[in-house]
Amino acid sequence: MEHLQYPNESGAYRTARNALLEEEIKLRAQIEAVAEKRRALPMGGEVPQDYVFERIGKNAMPEKVRMSELFGPHDTLILYSFMYGPERKSPCPGCTHLLDSIDGAARHLGQRAAFHVVAKSPIARLAAWAHARGWEHMSLISTAGNSYDADYFGDTSKFSKGIRAQHKVPDGEDWDETIFNVFRMSDGKVRHFWGSEMAFAPPAPNQHHRAGDLADPLWNLLDMTPEGRGDDWFPKVKY
């Protein structure tokens, strides 16, 4: 394989870089192999009900919307659970920095699949936050008291005892959680297809679960740098 050479680089640098490139090529192949296996998953379980959410309608007033209606013209629906419940004074900074990036991608994503951000706060609060943050392309909807969060692990209420311990959820307490869930409409039925369950896998030592990393440009850009992500740095809502 013929490689690049940058000005004044040493032979030791090029040897190490070429070896790293070989590993990056293997990683590319592994990422695609995993994506192929994901696409080949059998269809998951049918959703237990046609959940009713709340969104801001075309007349700028709250309106009810069923899950089956969220697909629009598509057969695939992606829902991202945003940690911004009514008990929170401000949204989760991890979710917020991710959504800052996804808002730009959403204008393109909508050409291929339906995408919505769901959270437990009232729809007026979600709309106000989206406006303040400058999110113009994402659809934020409220779970409006339905059981979607519990059923699809957008909160901790149905965590097993082991996962509660892993996530350090105290007995008698529950909070909202972040997760991507993908659904498919087929023959008039909505079925679950995939969820970002990496968040609930045993974590690597001294490492965040990285369940949403493939959709997160911030962490991927930092991984390109000599300093990396840092041992204790985490994005904030405001700086």
Side-chain angles (χ1 to χ4, degrees):
M1 184 182 301
E2 186 172 337
H3 297 301
L4 303 175
Q5 283 192 303
Y6 294 102
N8 300 316
E9 69 178 25
S10 68
Y13 174 87
R14 179 45 47 192
T15 297
R17 182 64 187 96
N18 287 354
L20 175 61
L21 181 58
E22 296 290 349
E23 296 303 314
E24 291 171 339
I25 291 169
K26 292 177 185 177
L27 177 61
R28 178 180 65 185
Q30 177 67 8
I31 289 172
E32 180 52 37
V34 170
E36 186 175 354
K37 289 181 178 179
R38 186 184 300 118
R39 293 191 295 269
L41 281 170
M43 202 56 61
E46 185 176 352
V47 298
Q49 59 179 288
D50 197 2
Y51 300 99
V52 177
F53 299 89
E54 194 168 48
R55 67 183 176 189
I56 297 296
K58 293 181 179 179
N59 60 355
M61 295 294 291
E63 66 177 19
K64 303 294 185 181
V65 58
R66 293 190 175 276
M67 186 179 192
S68 58
E69 299 174 297
L70 295 178
F71 284 80
H74 301 290
D75 294 326
T76 299
L77 168 67
I78 305 170
L79 295 183
Y80 174 73
S81 292
F82 178 27
M83 296 170 66
Y84 190 23
E87 76 287 353
R88 292 179 179 268
K89 293 183 178 180
S90 63
C92 164
C95 295
T96 299
H97 94 266
L98 175 60
L99 292 176
D100 284 339
S101 300
I102 289 180
D103 181 62
R107 72 181 78 185
H108 309 290
L109 180 58
Q111 301 298 311
R112 297 275 294 170
F115 174 72
H116 302 272
V117 178
V118 301
K120 289 189 172 187
S121 280
I123 187 58
R125 191 184 193 213
L126 298 178
W129 176 252
H131 177 75
R133 199 71 186 176
W135 295 339
E136 297 181 352
H137 307 289
M138 290 185 301
S139 163
L140 271 70
I141 60 177
S142 173
T143 52
N146 68 28
S147 63
Y148 172 81
D149 298 295
D151 294 341
Y152 289 96
F153 305 108
D155 68 29
T156 62
S157 62
K158 291 189 178 181
F159 278 14
S160 68
K161 186 175 182 180
I163 292 179
R164 290 181 72 87
Q166 179 178 297
H167 282 245
K168 300 178 181 179
V169 183
D171 290 341
E173 291 188 27
D174 282 301
W175 54 63
D176 45 9
E177 268 290 350
T178 175
I179 187 170
F180 287 92
N181 277 295
V182 181
F183 300 88
R184 189 78 171 168
M185 176 80 77
S186 178
D187 298 325
K189 295 181 179 181
V190 178
R191 294 183 180 274
H192 188 251
F193 174 71
W194 177 85
S196 52
E197 296 178 29
M198 183 74 79
F200 311 116
N206 302 315
Q207 189 181 97
H208 190 260
H209 59 66
R210 303 190 175 188
D213 274 23
L214 289 177
D216 195 326
L218 172 64
W219 298 127
N220 284 285
L221 286 167
L222 289 175
D223 278 344
M224 298 178 188
T225 68
E227 301 83 3
R229 304 180 182 209
D231 293 333
D232 56 4
W233 184 83
F234 201 75
K236 300 178 180 178
V237 173
K238 293 182 179 180
Y239 297 98

